[in-house]
Amino acid sequence: MGKYDALNPQQYQAVCHYEGPLLILAGAGSGKTRVLTHRVAWLIEEKNVNPWNIMAITFTNKAAGEMRDRVEAMLGGALGGVWVATFHSTCVRILRRYIDRIGFENNFTIYDSEDQKSVIKEICKRLQIDTKLYRERFFMAEISAAKDEMLSPVDYALRAQGDQRMQKVAEVYKEYQRQLFDNNALDFDDLICRTVELFQSCPEVLEQYQERFRFIMVDEYQDTNTAQFKLVSLLAAKYRNLCVVGDDDQSIYRFRGANIGNILNFEQFFPDAEVIRLEQNYRSTQNILNAANAVISHNKGRKEKTLWTDNGEGEKIRFRQFMNSFEEAEYVAGIISQKVGAGKWKYGDCAILYRTNAQSRMFEEKFLYANVPYKIVGGVNFYSRKEIKDVIAYLKTIANGKDDLAVRRIINVPKRGIGATTISRVQDYATEHGASFYDALRVAETIPGIGKSVAKLQAFVQMIQVLRTKQEFYKVKSLIEDILEQTGYMKELQAEGTDEALDRMANVDELLNKAALYDEKTENPTLDGFLEEVALVADIDNLEEDADHVVMMTLHSAKGLEFPVVFMVGMEDGVFPSYISISSEDESELEEERRLCYVGITRARTNLFLTSAKQRMVRGEIHYNRVSRFVDDIPEEFMAENERAKIPQKEKKDLPETKAHAAYRQMRENFKTKIMAQQQFEVKKADGLSYNVGDRVRHIKFGNGTVTNIAEGGRDYEVTVNFDRVGVKKMFASFAKLVKTEN
């Protein structure tokens, strides 16, 4: 029994459970993987269970590989037939043998997200659905959510009655499933749904696998959806030797379809289930666990458990509130530099955890200035994110039309119906005539083979020319806002209707914050100056992958990881927890946020820092936030350096909704309706001008000057003025708003 000696009493009890349903509530850092691997070994060695009859299901290939390696090491050889795999790979193997029983051919194709998007695009075209109002990814997300809940197209259509948006989804869902069937194809969600369908319609196939898998173990059970629960329940129905391991307090993936009810209601589904709690933590100090226990205890929908450790009390939790996010980032960078310099920490000991990816920008910039090496985990560096590169490309095109790379990047972003063939012909013309790509666009009507695309190219050029005129007297923030408005960029993200799109919108908002700060702190702000500043902080490609570095990630990405030192930043109501969870009538949304906080706290081994800012910029405007209610959940005795101005919980709840709260809630509502149409670019041409060539005029920014030329274009007048102070400027009349003067 030597290999089991290291187990604590609760772990050993879980390992030695033989028959019947078993729920292992494994708190953070309690050694659940150790329990699972030892249980597999114990069944084989002590109970002589045939390895062929054991199944272990995980969520990732990495987790499956690690479990397989650890069991093999324990047994001193090959697994001998133990089935260790993910949900999806399990279902693929079953369907490859038996899917012909439900009408498909066994050589079915598996569609990835791009394949799905193409199919839905065709369907929308056929059903005459405007994909500017209802994006393809919106339909993909809705259909995936329906399949997670085992809702067929018929079931979905019944639920959709009286809801126009859902009815559109029902139409597309029905056609989508029909087309997949006709193409002998499945998407990833179908892999599980079709396996459940196979088992329900073919009892003899189900019985075969029930005989095969007499002992079933499921890891991370709190992350299962309804379809996965149904699959596992069917497989375990005969022998009922189902062991599930999970932590309801770490259920944070509802947005991906996870159903916390699967673990909370396990004993209802299996009344004779044994429940074992793993509460001894091997990762953190007691003070950190006390904080985690205090926060999560405010949730009503949970299984009672209290984490404890033999690791000692440890350092108390440090909380600091700063005036703004600059000071917050400076403090974090300063503490890390100081401790590393003193030899107490390594950079790699430290993790910065935040609620949304957009929060990384300030820390990235501070770390660069402070020469602190860092790496974004589970995400992309701020200035490398697609939406940021798109907006920057627009700014580069406005500032310098010779940047071919920038122009080509955004000529069809958002989609304008300009195809690859047209772009190729423009490029060929530019190369042949030694001109820039943008200059070629300006004479599109002379390019052979362009055809009907001429009007689209001219509209694009016209838009850029107008924006160029505006850069002379617009601040950078206002110029970006105008780009977003004129192109419909944010509205397209809104129409996409996914959580990913909402994150991308938050990133664009953070770029607006950057621009607002640049406008404010720079004596003579210019577009060129802004682009230079961005280029300096965006040059982060020289970071060494394997170097000692601070890691930065969202709280969601941090699950399953641990670090000696953790900084949880942005601990303010409205940031974490989010505005949407605070303003929601559904209490479960706030409980999900609290579980996310619990996950963040329990990532720390020895040191936990919580920081907040009194002022935080949102879309370029200053908003005032209260300290997060999650900080207030932590009792004073576990805190050091307590500098918070404590707001009683009751007072918090009674305070009226702020402008920021209301704006954010409205944005989410708009986001949910997904019916905002993309505005087309339009310039209203004046009937005539109050001035002529030779007249003296005044401009709000450039002062007085003389009109030297007026060119009548299709949509507006292009006016050339020789200003007394700044020289010759060209501008469109509708935006210049020149006023004739007497002198």
Side-chain angles (χ1 to χ4, degrees), residues 2 31 152 203 315 379 420 492 652 658 670 734:
S152 69
E315 291 196 28
E492 182 167 268
K652 282 187 174 185
T658 66
N670 292 342
S734 17

Side-chain angles (χ1 to χ4, degrees), residues 507-552:
N507 287 331
V508 176
D509 286 345
E510 184 58 31
L511 184 65
L512 283 168
N513 293 343
K514 169 71 178 175
L517 291 165
Y518 170 79
D519 290 334
E520 186 183 326
K521 73 178 184 181
T522 308
E523 188 173 345
N524 294 304
T526 63
L527 178 56
D528 286 334
F530 177 75
L531 289 170
E532 284 171 17
E533 186 166 307
V534 165
L536 289 173
V537 296
D539 185 21
I540 52 182
D541 295 331
N542 56 359
L543 289 174
E544 295 179 31
E545 281 294 310
D546 298 324
D548 181 29
H549 47 240
V550 177
V551 296
M552 295 197 288

Side-chain angles (χ1 to χ4, degrees), residues 8 10-11 13 23-27 30 267 275-280 303-306:
N8 68 41
Q10 289 74 31
Q11 290 176 331
Q13 184 186 355
L23 169 62
I24 303 174
L25 292 170
S30 62
E267 293 154 275
V275 180
I276 297 172
R277 288 171 168 79
L278 304 183
E279 296 173 299
Q280 183 175 356
K303 300 278 191 182
E304 191 64 36
K305 69 187 84 66
T306 303

